[in-house]
């Protein structure tokens, strides 16, 4: 930096307008005053327009109290309910321990690079998703709006799941637990077990009938479930109160909501390992089935899980990182959060299968007892000969090994007659092979296992409180993905917007708490996010690598981080990641086309699930969800491309300095109807013809006469002002 720069001063209404060279010199002499200065880029006509970064708005913009708070927020957003009830199911279904290999490979190919990309652009530009992509290319500004729409759709049904967890949490403070036994029905003559419960199980009955009071089809609304309506209202009140002050309020809650689930998981793991049969569950889980790993479906599902586990495309990652200091090491954050997410999934899988192994062992013992009694009856009536039973077998206290020995002997002796005997093999692996996920795992299988725990109400309270916290952590990031971009773009008050957003979401979310609400949750989960988010992230990758330029982006990262990121990211972003994402998009479309659109309806008479196709209006809703989510992208592109909105931009402001603050001063430019702030690419802007050169000559470099908005222009020099355009886009 030149130490003896010439300063041109002019006094006008107590203002001193200085060149950028002088401002940079001022940074040396009074660094604190400079960092508190305000850079305002405005029109002459619009006195309250955008305030660019590097300004006092930088100081006024909320910031994380500590790096730990920020990391916990990102972990809380990425680690959600899917880590507990989706990852273990995929691991079991797709080859056990072998599933971890494609998952890790895809985490390195698309997970970490794309997570790093979103962290970088958010931290660099310090705006929400709308501002970030509008800054990079106004024609792609619809990417940010699409992210907001998807976040809204996901928030609608995700908070319903938190409401379900709150209901079970509230019902856990009693012994025995209300889903421990089937209810009894009394009539005039006698008492009997509820038929629907007797045909299924106590936990299944409680979930479908007591909690959801579910209808038999999507078309049969059945009115509101008042218990779940109150729980949904409570969930939205919690989210609203936590988010109303932005990260100042939600950031403090992160210390509990992000860390408490790990405490619960560790407690469950320790308790689970002490239970009989837990080792069988864990062994079954991590026994690799290598032949399954080579199937394309396994890689598609692993890629999808990586994609959604990190929250890519939602805008929450960008929103959280936009509150960081510009020199924060976001590369370290990307790697750290990604692997915390992965190891959390593995930890949750250990817990789930330790508990399911215990549950399978109990069911297997009941199976052995029941079938041993059948064998004794067959021996008494003479259908089986006592001679074929080994002498050491004691049916009153028979072990699993002894039963399997007797079962094999009877099967060999009674080859043709064996099916008519009605005996079961009672293998613990058969029970563990029954794959369950989602609500079936959390509210049926896991709750059933906990009824066999000593002090079961305590463990139930801990489990559902953990689910509430996991859900809230993800909800904070999802709502931040809506609030932050809108506040940055439209300059509305965050408190008012948060309350309005939560109120609207609650009233729209009432469709999920009617008797058919569970079917709408399934519909939104299947169709509102998957394809739109894939398209959003593909466009994000294209915007950075092709529109903005991968080389310029790598230079920005070097300037921001203080070191050059590995060339690994260069090739991932430019070639590998977009190719993998396109393959995943095509595979998802094909899978969606091959799978008949429908849902599993609970039939009360048979007490079983039955697959039903969506009615015509249901298919229209499914298609509308996908179209509405991605519609902002082409709309914004067409509006920008065809100039359907008059930008009415007046002039680009120069930089003035007064009383320790940078303020605005209009400078008339030729053809300045292409301001970046008003939605046009800097590449289309004619170079401004300033009266004096306002770019700084680099020490040891030749004098350059390039325009200020070029590579060595004002965007490059004002490296601490992220919203100023760095170079031609």
């Amino acid at each position: 930096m030149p130490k003896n720069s010439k300063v041109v001063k002019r006094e006008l209404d107590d203002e001193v307008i200085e060149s950028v060279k002088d401002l940079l010199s001022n940074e040396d002499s009074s660094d604190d005053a400079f960092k508190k200065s305000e850079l305002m880029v405005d029109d002459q006509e619009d006195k309250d327009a955008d305030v660019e970064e590097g300004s006092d708005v930088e100081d006024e913009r909320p910031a994380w109290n500590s790096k730990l708070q920020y990391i916990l927020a990102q972990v809380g957003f990425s680690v959600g309910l899917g880590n507990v009830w989706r990852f273990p199911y995929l691991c079991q279904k797709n080859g056990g321990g072998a599933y971890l290999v494609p998952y890790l490979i895809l985490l390195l190919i698309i997970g970490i690079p794309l997570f790093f990309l979103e962290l970088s652009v958010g931290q660099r530009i310090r705006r929400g998703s709308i501002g970030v992509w509008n800054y990079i290319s106004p024609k792609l500004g619809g990417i940010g709006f699409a992210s907001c729409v998807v976040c809204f759709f996901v928030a609608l049904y995700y908070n319903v799941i938190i409401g379900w967890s709150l209901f079970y949490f509230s019902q856990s403070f009693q012994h025995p637990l209300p889903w421990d036994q089937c209810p009894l029905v009394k009539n005039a003559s006698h008492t009997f077990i509820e038929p629907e419960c007797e045909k299924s199980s106590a936990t299944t009955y409680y979930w479908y009938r007591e909690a959801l009071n579910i209808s038999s089809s999507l078309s049969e609304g059945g009115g509101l479930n008042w218990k779940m309506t109150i729980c949904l209202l409570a969930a939205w009140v919690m989210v609203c109160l936590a988010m109303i002050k932005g990260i100042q309020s939600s950031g403090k809650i992160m210390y509990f909501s992000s860390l408490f689930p790990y405490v619960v998981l560790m407690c469950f793991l320790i308790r689970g390992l002490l239970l009989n049969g837990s080792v069988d569950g864990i062994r079954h889980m991590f026994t690799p089935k290598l032949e399954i790993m080579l199937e394309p479906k396994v890689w598609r599902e692993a890629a999808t899980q990586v994609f959604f586990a990190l929250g890519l495309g939602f805008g929450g990652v960008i929103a959280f990182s936009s509150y960081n200091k510009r020199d924060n090491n976001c590369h370290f954050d990307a790697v750290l959060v990604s692997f915390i997410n992965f190891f959390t999934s593995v930890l949750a899988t250990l817990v789930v299968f330790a508990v399911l192994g215990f549950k399978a062992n109990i069911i297997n013992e009941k199976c052995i007892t029941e079938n041993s009694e059948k064998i004794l009856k067959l021996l008494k009536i003479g259908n089986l000969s006592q001679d074929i039973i080994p002498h050491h077998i004691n049916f009153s206290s028979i072990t699993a090994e002894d039963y399997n020995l007797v079962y094999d002997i009877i099967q060999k002796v009674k080859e043709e007659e064996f099916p008519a005997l009605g005996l079961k093999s009672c293998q613990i692996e058969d029970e563990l092979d029954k794959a369950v996920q989602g609500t079936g795992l959390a509210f049926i299988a896991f709750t059933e296992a906990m009824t066999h725990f000593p002090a079961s109400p305590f463990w139930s309270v801990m489990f559902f409180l953990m689910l509430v916290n996991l859900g809230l952590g993800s909800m904070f990031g999802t709502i931040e993905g809506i609030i932050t971009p809108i506040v940055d773009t439209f300059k509305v008050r965050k408190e008012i917007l948060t309350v309005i957003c939560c109120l609207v979401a609650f009233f729209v979310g009432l469709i999920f708490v009617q008797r058919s609400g569970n079917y709408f949750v399934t519909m939104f989960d299947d169709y509102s996010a998957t394809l739109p988010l894939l398209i959003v992230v593909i466009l994000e990758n294209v915007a950075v690598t092709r529109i903005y330029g991968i080389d310029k982006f790598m230079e920005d990262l070097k300037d921001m981080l203080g070191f050059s990121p590995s060339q690994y990211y260069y090739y991932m972003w430019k070639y590998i990641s977009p190719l993998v994402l396109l393959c995943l998009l095509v595979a998802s479309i094909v899978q969606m086309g091959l799978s008949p659109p429908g849902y599993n309806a609970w039939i009360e008479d048979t007490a079983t699930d039955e697959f039903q196709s969506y009615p015509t209006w249901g298919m229209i809703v499914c298609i509308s969800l996908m179209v509405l989510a991605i519609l902002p992208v082409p709309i914004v592109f067409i509006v920008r491309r065809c100039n359907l909105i008059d930008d009415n931009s007046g002039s680009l402001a120069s930089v003035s300095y007064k009383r320790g603050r940078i303020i605005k001063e209009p400078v008339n430019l030729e053809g300045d109807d292409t301001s970046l702030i008003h939605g046009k690419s800097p590449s289309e802007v004619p170079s401004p013809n300033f009266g004096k050169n306002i770019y700084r000559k680099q020490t040891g470099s030749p004098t350059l006469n390039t325009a200020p908005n070029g590579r060595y222009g004002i965007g490059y020099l004002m490296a601490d002002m992220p919203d100023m355009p760095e170079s031609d886009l």
Side-chain angles (χ1 to χ4, degrees), residues 149 153 527 532 620-632 634:
V149 173
F153 285 161
Y527 292 96
I620 294 174
V621 173
C622 293
I623 296 171
S624 299
L625 288 174
M626 293 185 288
V627 172
L628 286 174
I630 207 63
L631 195 60

Side-chain angles (χ1 to χ4, degrees), residues 460-715:
S460 183
V461 167
M462 294 284 283
F463 176 71
F464 289 110
L465 187 58
M466 178 190 74
L467 291 187
V468 170
N469 279 276
L470 284 172
L472 285 177
S474 298
M475 276 298 296
F476 293 157
T478 304
I479 297 298
E480 199 69 56
I482 302 172
I483 301 297
T484 297
I486 295 177
V487 169
D488 289 343
T489 305
F490 300 105
K491 312 301 178 188
V492 297
R493 284 193 61 183
K494 177 167 284 190
E495 295 88 348
I496 296 175
L497 179 62
T498 302
V499 172
I500 292 174
C501 179
C502 291
L503 278 175
V504 171
F506 168 71
F507 285 111
V508 176
L510 291 177
I511 64 172
F512 301 106
V513 291
Q514 55 183 337
R515 291 185 60 197
S516 60
N518 188 45
Y519 307 138
F520 283 97
V521 170
T522 302
M523 176 191 291
F524 272 66
D525 191 37
D526 289 342
Y527 292 96
S528 68
T530 306
L531 291 184
L533 282 182
L534 279 171
I535 295 172
V536 163
V537 175
I538 290 172
L539 292 175
E540 287 180 359
N541 193 285
V542 170
V544 171
T545 59
R546 308 294 175 181
I547 308 299
Y548 184 75
I550 185 66
D551 294 319
K552 287 184 245 181
F553 186 62
M554 295 295 285
E555 289 178 7
D556 290 345
L557 288 176
K558 181 180 180 181
D559 173 61
M560 188 167 64
L561 300 176
F563 62 89
S564 297
S566 169
Q567 286 296 303
Y568 169 81
Y569 293 105
Y570 179 93
Y571 293 107
M572 287 295 108
W573 287 330
K574 192 169 184 180
Y575 302 111
I576 307 300
S577 294
L579 181 62
V580 173
L581 286 173
L582 282 173
C583 292
L584 180 58
L585 177 62
V586 172
S588 299
I589 293 173
V590 171
Q591 174 66 21
M592 192 171 290
L594 295 177
S595 302
Y599 60 99
N600 288 322
W602 178 257
I603 308 302
E604 183 177 357
D605 294 337
T606 59
T608 56
D609 284 329
E610 180 182 293
F611 182 82
Q612 293 186 6
S613 298
Y614 286 118
T616 303
W617 66 266
M619 286 301 303
I620 294 174
V621 173
C622 293
I623 296 171
S624 299
L625 288 174
M626 293 185 288
V627 172
L628 286 174
I630 207 63
L631 195 60
V633 175
I635 288 179
V636 173
F637 181 84
I638 293 171
V639 167
R640 298 294 193 191
R641 183 71 179 84
C642 301
N643 295 320
L644 298 181
I645 296 180
D646 182 16
D647 290 336
N648 195 29
S649 57
S651 61
L652 186 66
S654 69
V655 182
S656 304
Y657 190 79
K658 175 184 177 182
R659 297 175 185 172
R661 297 170 62 85
I662 302 177
I663 61 174
K664 67 179 187 296
E665 182 183 38
V667 175
N668 292 327
L669 305 177
E670 296 179 7
D672 183 47
D673 60 345
T674 53
S675 168
L676 174 65
I677 299 171
H678 291 86
K680 297 200 176 180
S681 172
S683 61
E684 303 172 25
V685 184
S687 299
N689 189 16
F690 289 92
K692 297 189 182 336
N693 282 337
I694 64 168
Y695 63 89
R696 170 170 57 100
K697 182 177 77 173
Q698 303 295 307
T699 305
S701 65
T703 301
L704 299 173
N705 293 321
T706 54
N709 65 335
R711 172 64 180 82
Y712 295 96
I714 185 171

